[in-house]
Amino acid sequence: MSVVAMSDTAGSLGVEIGRAVAAGLDYAFADREIITEAAERFGQDARALTHIVEERPTLREHFEVGTRRYAAFVEATILEMAARDDVVLVGRACPFVLGEAPHTLRVRIDAPERLRAERIARSPGITPQAALDRVRESDRGRSARTKLLFHADWGDPLRYDLLLSTERLDVDDGARAVIQALAAERFRSTEASRRTMTDRALASQVHARLFANAVTRDRPLEVTCAGGVVTLAGAVDAAQLWVTAEEVAAAIPGVAAVRNEITVIGVALDTRSEGDELSHAAFLHGEGRSWGGYGGEWYEREWDAVRRYRDARRGQAQESPEPARRTS
Amino acid sequence: MSVIAISETAGSLGTEIARSVAARLGYELADREIITKAADRFGEAATEIVHATEEKPTLWDRFRDTQRRYMTYVEAIVLELAAADRVVLVGRGSAIVLARFPNVLRVRVTAPEGTRARRVEGGQGLTADAALDYVQRSDRELGARLRFFYHVDWDDSLRYDLVVNTDRLDVAAAVHTIEQLLGDERFQTSPEVGRAILDASLTAQAKAVLLRNPVTRPRQIVVSCRDANLSLTGSVEVPSEREAAEAEVARIPGVKHVGNEIVVLGAVRRGAGAA
């Protein structure tokens, strides 16, 4: 009952070792599937996701929100797979996403550049020079990605529990070493550690879903999860965000309940009449809003959200012993 | 029948792991004894050799060949211990000195600075600040030595077959992992590899004794060895130096035969002058 998070370099035999470990322990195995699954789930193009996680970032991407959004999708998928337990995950991002996770053995598989190029050159149609170029390009790209997404040096030994060089070790040796290290009590999942992992996975999925949603994307919402109960916090400028965020979170399988602690700025709670106190600021602006001004269906939806928000807040206020209501 | 070379950082539990592996396999454990032995054998003060292998070279040191001399002694001892087989070596660059032999399992034991400082604090009764300072200074000094002598970065994980981070892995897990890898045939000392290490060991010892002797020290003598047959080439000034070199290396235990092909330059020059 453990999780193995492996990072490999091109031609290092990391994937082969990962598969051998999974076969030896009867664990599930995932490498590129992680990316594909993340892509399918969040409706993104698989090629774009591969680029985000594996390849070298372009200068523009350093400033783009899109990169972080995709990274959130991949992170959510990795955490969800890890929460299922008994799994071997191979990919650059895995040891970093699962860095602080309990019962996760973080492994890095590497070998000298020259040897990795030789291995790749064994495939038909690849010249030795092309193989070396590929290895170098891959190293540069993955290392730059790790720096951009996780602010970490992917070659730093202290980011892993175990590092193996396949210069002398073969796939069998590597797999046996990993399995042996995994036998330590430290890496066996417990009831409590599995709950922690599930909560992290749920929080991460809510986070990713909020990113994927046209209304809630790019809004600074804080998501936490304890015992399956998701708490949303933060401040937004439109009541519909408050409603949508809650709906997004509640729709995720495994979420037991949602505590919506988001504050809507610009909505006064203590007004008796509803006609005049709603400012433009309380309406949802930007990409989620339909065209055609503030009238019609959109206007109704926003009003409905404001009323619901108010009711919820007033209900909370009445429940609390000292109602924080202003009298005027 | 194998050799394990462990590189460790202060507070990483590397020595504990080495001790446990040695005890379980019935191997010899060689850590600080390496230096003591080097000092005894080559007749130089142990403290100076400790300085040569452990502390950061000062600007002045960089220009002193005595430092290189001591390093040659240490290398000779490391190779001699490896040639004896069934041994766990800790530190002194042994993982780097022995890197070219395929039967040597090279292991690096490390852990985050903070974790190591806490261990040192607990183990040696230091204050937290002093422990952290000790760990950082030790890292800097040992790392600088290896860079100075071998031009390598000791933190480069590709210098080792296995790197163990003891932040979360305990001594037992590390020991079991090492044993697991050692079980593989490739780390068993084959007769050919055994001979190669012995030759390397005799070569290193010959270099060491030639450096120890003030008569042969300044001369350019090249040593090579094949199947315990030493051969000396290069040049000296006078015939007595040539004989001294041969006498020195002939005393090394395990040397079968010495082929002395050293050229006496003084004689050549005099011959040229006469002609």
Side-chain angles (χ1 to χ4, degrees):
Chain A
M1 303 295 278
S2 295
V3 177
V4 183
M6 288 176 44
S7 160
D8 66 342
T9 52
S12 69
L13 303 176
V15 173
E16 288 81 353
I17 290 173
R19 277 187 204 284
V21 170
L25 296 171
D26 201 18
Y27 277 17
F29 173 83
D31 63 336
R32 306 225 162 228
E33 289 99 281
I34 294 171
I35 292 158
T36 326
E37 191 175 321
E40 281 170 5
R41 191 107 56 81
F42 296 101
Q44 301 289 339
D45 177 18
R47 277 244 315 276
L49 275 179
T50 307
H51 172 68
I52 295 296
V53 184
E54 313 257 305
E55 289 157 25
R56 203 173 175 194
T58 58
L59 186 61
R60 206 175 128 237
E61 280 175 68
H62 285 277
F63 307 100
E64 263 189 299
V65 179
T67 304
R68 312 229 166 263
R69 187 148 61 214
Y70 292 140
F73 299 163
V74 172
E75 191 173 312
T77 313
I78 290 171
L79 278 166
E80 202 208 344
M81 289 179 147
R84 289 184 212 154
D85 213 6
D86 288 354
V87 63
V88 178
L89 301 165
V90 181
R92 275 50 67 190
C94 296
F96 296 94
V97 170
L98 298 169
E100 299 305 311
H103 70 257
T104 299
L105 180 73
R106 300 160 303 168
V107 181
R108 168 146 167 114
I109 312 286
D110 198 3
E113 184 182 89
R114 162 195 52 77
L115 184 65
R116 295 188 284 128
E118 275 170 28
R119 286 181 187 147
I120 286 175
R122 270 174 226 152
S123 323
I126 299 176
T127 64
Q129 187 55 48
L132 190 61
D133 287 348
R134 186 185 291 188
V135 163
R136 285 180 178 162
E137 188 56 37
S138 159
D139 285 356
R140 263 203 304 277
R142 290 174 186 184
S143 140
R145 277 284 151 200
T146 317
K147 197 165 237 156
L148 173 66
L149 298 178
F150 303 102
H151 311 288
D153 169 13
W154 81 324
D156 178 2
L158 294 177
R159 289 278 180 168
Y160 308 93
D161 297 304
L162 200 66
L163 294 93
L164 297 164
S165 164
T166 55
E167 184 184 3
R168 288 178 187 172
L169 305 179
D170 61 16
V171 172
D172 267 6
D173 292 329
R176 279 188 289 118
V178 171
I179 290 171
Q180 191 60 252
L182 205 61
E185 193 68 42
R186 176 77 173 71
F187 299 106
R188 223 159 295 156
S189 64
T190 61
E191 193 67 34
S193 74
R194 275 195 296 273
R195 254 203 312 276
T196 309
M197 196 78 114
T198 307
D199 283 340
R200 270 196 67 188
L202 285 174
S204 169
Q205 275 185 77
V206 173
H207 183 65
R209 285 280 171 203
L210 290 173
F211 256 142
N213 188 293
V215 175
T216 52
R217 75 166 40 151
D218 307 340
R219 305 287 170 167
L221 292 176
E222 199 183 299
V223 184
T224 50
C225 183
V229 177
V230 170
T231 302
L232 301 171
V236 296
D237 53 8
Q240 270 203 50
L241 283 167
W242 178 83
V243 173
T244 311
E246 185 174 326
E247 284 169 359
V248 165
I252 289 165
V255 171
V258 180
R259 284 178 56 201
N260 192 348
E261 293 175 3
I262 299 169
T263 308
V264 184
I265 301 160
V267 173
L269 293 176
D270 59 343
T271 46
R272 300 292 183 273
S273 62
E274 287 184 336
D276 52 9
E277 82 284 9
L278 188 64
S279 70
H280 268 200
F283 284 93
L284 181 60
H285 295 273
E287 52 190 323
R289 190 172 68 80
S290 62
W291 295 103
Y294 296 108
E297 196 189 321
W298 177 261
Y299 191 73
E300 282 312 310
R301 271 219 302 276
E302 185 65 18
W303 259 116
D304 184 51
V306 168
R307 283 189 201 104
R308 280 169 64 187
Y309 174 68
R310 236 181 224 149
D311 288 349
R313 279 286 177 272
R314 280 172 185 157
Q316 279 172 13
Q318 270 156 14
E319 279 166 29
S320 64
E322 278 190 17
R325 290 177 72 176
R326 196 155 51 94
T327 48
S328 59
Chain B
M1 299 293 282
S2 189
V3 176
I4 304 162
I6 295 180
S7 163
E8 64 156 357
T9 50
S12 69
L13 301 178
T15 305
E16 286 78 355
I17 291 169
R19 193 171 296 134
S20 174
V21 169
R24 287 170 59 105
L25 297 173
Y27 281 18
E28 194 187 337
L29 175 72
D31 83 46
R32 305 228 160 235
E33 295 103 275
I34 295 176
I35 289 181
T36 326
K37 245 175 136 173
D40 289 350
R41 173 88 65 79
F42 299 103
E44 310 240 8
T47 48
E48 264 188 281
I49 294 187
V50 170
H51 176 72
T53 54
E54 302 253 281
E55 286 158 34
K56 192 175 177 176
T58 59
L59 199 61
W60 174 240
D61 283 345
R62 287 178 199 270
F63 300 101
R64 286 172 61 187
D65 12 307
T66 49
Q67 301 300 308
R68 293 219 174 266
R69 204 159 79 226
Y70 296 144
M71 213 55 201
T72 307
Y73 299 162
V74 170
E75 259 184 63
I77 298 295
V78 165
L79 281 160
E80 194 193 354
L81 284 161
D85 209 37
R86 297 176 60 86
V87 62
V88 182
L89 297 127
V90 185
R92 323 293 164 248
S94 49
I96 287 154
V97 172
L98 300 174
R100 62 184 193 274
F101 302 109
N103 64 326
V104 179
L105 181 68
R106 299 159 302 165
V107 181
R108 165 92 167 156
V109 183
T110 180
E113 206 174 76
T115 308
R116 295 190 284 125
R118 270 194 303 282
R119 286 177 189 151
V120 168
E121 192 188 329
Q124 302 190 8
L126 293 171
T127 64
D129 282 350
L132 187 63
D133 188 54
Y134 170 80
V135 162
Q136 287 173 341
R137 213 177 44 230
S138 157
D139 285 358
R140 260 200 316 275
E141 286 172 359
L142 295 177
R145 272 291 145 179
L146 290 182
R147 233 184 350 266
F148 177 58
F149 285 116
Y150 301 111
H151 309 285
V152 300
D153 171 14
W154 77 333
D155 265 332
D156 177 4
S157 56
L158 291 177
R159 299 257 164 219
Y160 313 94
D161 299 300
L162 172 73
V163 181
V164 180
N165 177 355
T166 56
D167 190 27
R168 312 207 301 181
L169 281 172
D170 58 12
V171 170
V175 168
H176 291 147
T177 307
I178 290 170
E179 282 179 1
Q180 188 63 253
L181 288 178
L182 212 61
D184 194 283
E185 208 156 305
R186 86 197 59 223
F187 292 111
Q188 300 303 305
T189 310
S190 66
E192 304 89 78
V193 172
R195 274 197 297 275
I197 299 186
L198 182 62
D199 285 345
S201 159
L202 294 176
T203 307
Q205 287 179 67
K207 280 183 191 163
V209 295
L210 291 175
L211 275 178
R212 178 186 55 186
N213 189 327
V215 174
T216 49
R217 186 181 300 157
R219 302 294 164 233
Q220 301 295 314
I221 301 170
V222 182
V223 186
S224 62
C225 184
R226 196 176 170 80
D227 296 327
N229 295 312
L230 271 184
S231 104
L232 300 177
T233 54
S235 57
V236 294
E237 283 299 315
V238 292
S240 63
E241 290 168 350
R242 187 179 187 273
E243 281 146 32
E246 185 173 337
E248 276 287 359
V249 301
R251 278 201 293 273
I252 297 168
V255 171
K256 279 194 215 152
H257 174 263
V258 182
N260 191 350
E261 289 158 34
I262 297 170
V263 178
V264 181
L265 281 184
V268 172
R269 281 202 204 101
R270 275 194 301 278

